[in-house]
């Protein structure tokens, strides 16, 4: 009986350490969130997180195996062992930390609203400041109230299961009609078609569309927002039981931050440094 307990203990330890010791690390990503992660013209994955993942795997003496996964199924796929890490522009939030664990932050960016430039909102909301919702100072409250008043009675689109959706529910729920989208591409199409008045996502996503003229008349409005529902930056998600993998990934991220690799990749893909 004692031997049985010893064997069971060894099996449990082996299972817990498997993800950290394996030669291949499976990385779940959406492939539909440029420039974080996207599908290129050749059908292959590309973007900031794809290059960063390759660098981290090299530091961990492992190979990367990317697994494409729809955004709304990302957390269930991780917890059911479809892959070992999530690298999909996922912000570190307390809500998500109830289900999974995260690495240290490797990138951080603000959220901002986008409208068509021919929408009246483009002229009425001209704020361009950065506010931290984790600190609701009098100045932040004034800015938030101005935003709420301007958006009252409008239709706002967000991607489902995103911190942007959480922001709209928390701060605008009683004032606006909320429409949820499975992908940012579908949200963008409805914004372009005028089916929503405003859409909320990351500044880098909207900036990328503007550079590519995907929406000819795109305007960014309101404050650049961080903190609170927008979390503590972007990190790699992993299962809570994979503590050894988390420590090793944290060490690799720390090294990539220290030697400037993440800053260099950010400038390559975003045009500016968004490293933590």
């Amino acid at each position: 009986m004692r031997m049985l307990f010893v064997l069971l203990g060894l099996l449990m330890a082996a299972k817990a350490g498997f993800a950290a010791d394996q030669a291949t690390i499976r990385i779940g990503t959406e492939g539909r969130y440029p420039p974080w992660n996207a599908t290129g013209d050749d059908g292959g994955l590309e973007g900031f997180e794809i290059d960063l993942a390759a660098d981290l795997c090299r530091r961990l003496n492992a190979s990367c195996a990317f697994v494409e996964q729809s955004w709304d199924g990302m957390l269930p796929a991780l917890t059911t062992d479809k892959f070992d890490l999530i690298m999909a522009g996922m912000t570190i939030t307390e809500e998500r930390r109830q289900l999974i664990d995260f690495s240290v932050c490797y990138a951080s960016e603000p959220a901002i609203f986008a409208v068509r430039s021919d929408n009246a909102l483009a002229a009425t909301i001209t704020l361009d400041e950065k506010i931290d919702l984790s600190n609701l100072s009098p100045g932040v409250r004034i800015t938030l109230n101005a935003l709420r008043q301007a958006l009252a009675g409008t239709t706002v689109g967000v991607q489902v299961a995103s911190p942007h959706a959480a922001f709209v529910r928390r701060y605008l729920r009683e004032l606006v009609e909320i429409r949820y989208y499975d992908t940012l591409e579908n949200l963008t199409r409805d914004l372009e078609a005028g089916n929503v008045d405003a859409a909320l996502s990351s500044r880098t996503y909207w900036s990328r569309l503007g550079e590519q003229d995907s929406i000819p008349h795109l305007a960014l409005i309101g404050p650049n927002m961080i903190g609170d529902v927008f979390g503590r930056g972007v990190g790699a998600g992993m299962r809570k039981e994979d503590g050894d993998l988390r420590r090793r990934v944290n060490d690799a991220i720390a090294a990539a931050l220290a030697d400037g690799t993440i800053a260099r990749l950010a400038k390559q893909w975003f045009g500016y440094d968004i490293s933590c």
Side-chain angles (χ1 to χ4, degrees):
M1 181 64 70
R2 183 172 182 275
M3 181 59 70
L4 176 60
F5 286 140
V6 171
L7 289 173
L8 286 174
L10 290 173
L11 286 172
M12 292 177 67
K15 182 178 180 180
F18 175 73
D21 296 334
Q22 63 195 43
T24 300
I25 298 177
R26 299 166 300 164
I27 299 174
T29 195
E30 189 181 15
R32 305 184 74 173
Y33 188 35
W36 293 85
N37 56 81
T39 302
D41 294 336
D42 61 356
L45 290 168
E46 63 180 23
F48 167 72
E49 287 176 306
I50 306 305
D51 287 352
L52 175 58
D55 179 82
L56 297 179
C57 286
R58 178 185 60 78
R59 296 175 192 267
L60 295 171
N61 295 316
S63 298
C64 285
F66 292 102
V67 180
E68 293 186 60
Q69 172 65 50
S70 63
W71 176 256
D72 56 357
M74 196 70 71
L75 294 185
L78 174 69
T79 57
T80 55
D81 200 35
K82 187 173 179 180
F83 38 76
D84 308 302
L85 293 178
I86 295 173
M87 293 187 69
M90 183 171 282
T91 52
I92 304 167
T93 66
E94 289 306 314
E95 182 180 7
R96 289 174 177 148
R97 286 175 68 92
Q98 300 300 313
L99 301 173
I100 66 172
D101 215 338
F102 279 95
S103 71
V104 295
C105 169
Y106 53 73
S108 182
E109 64 166 343
I112 196 167
F113 282 94
V115 300
R116 287 172 52 111
S117 59
D118 56 0
N119 188 302
L121 289 169
T124 57
I125 309 179
T126 57
L127 301 173
D128 189 18
E129 60 181 292
K130 188 174 183 178
I131 61 173
D132 185 349
L133 297 173
S134 299
N135 176 23
L136 292 178
S137 65
V140 170
R141 291 181 185 275
I142 290 172
T143 299
L144 267 180
N145 286 336
L147 180 66
R148 283 164 52 85
Q149 291 172 16
L151 290 172
T154 66
T155 300
V156 175
V158 287
Q159 186 178 24
V160 68
S162 68
H164 310 101
F167 171 87
V168 174
R169 286 196 302 270
R170 177 171 297 185
Y171 294 98
L172 302 173
R173 178 174 51 191
E174 76 279 14
L175 298 173
V176 304
E177 177 187 345
I178 308 172
R179 292 187 184 174
Y180 297 97
Y181 293 83
D182 57 344
T183 66
L184 284 173
E185 289 95 331
N186 288 333
L187 169 58
T188 302
R189 291 191 190 99
D190 259 16
L191 177 64
E192 186 173 16
N195 294 327
V196 294
D197 297 303
L200 181 63
S201 189
S202 67
R203 177 153 193 163
T204 52
Y205 177 74
W206 297 128
S207 298
R208 186 81 167 186
L209 290 183
E211 291 171 1
Q212 297 175 343
D213 290 329
S214 298
I215 301 182
H217 307 290
L218 179 71
L220 301 184
I221 62 169
N224 295 267
M225 299 176 290
I226 61 172
D228 191 26
V229 293
F230 297 118
R232 305 174 183 174
V234 174
M238 62 201 77
R239 290 178 292 274
K240 286 182 174 291
E241 61 266 27
D242 291 338
D244 189 33
L245 177 63
R246 182 181 67 253
R247 287 187 288 273
R248 295 178 63 211
V249 170
N250 282 347
D251 288 344
I253 291 173
L257 286 168
D259 67 15
T261 296
I262 295 180
R264 175 179 57 79
L265 291 175
K267 290 175 183 177
Q268 174 186 335
W269 286 101
F270 296 95
Y272 53 94
D273 183 8
I274 62 166
S275 62
C276 289

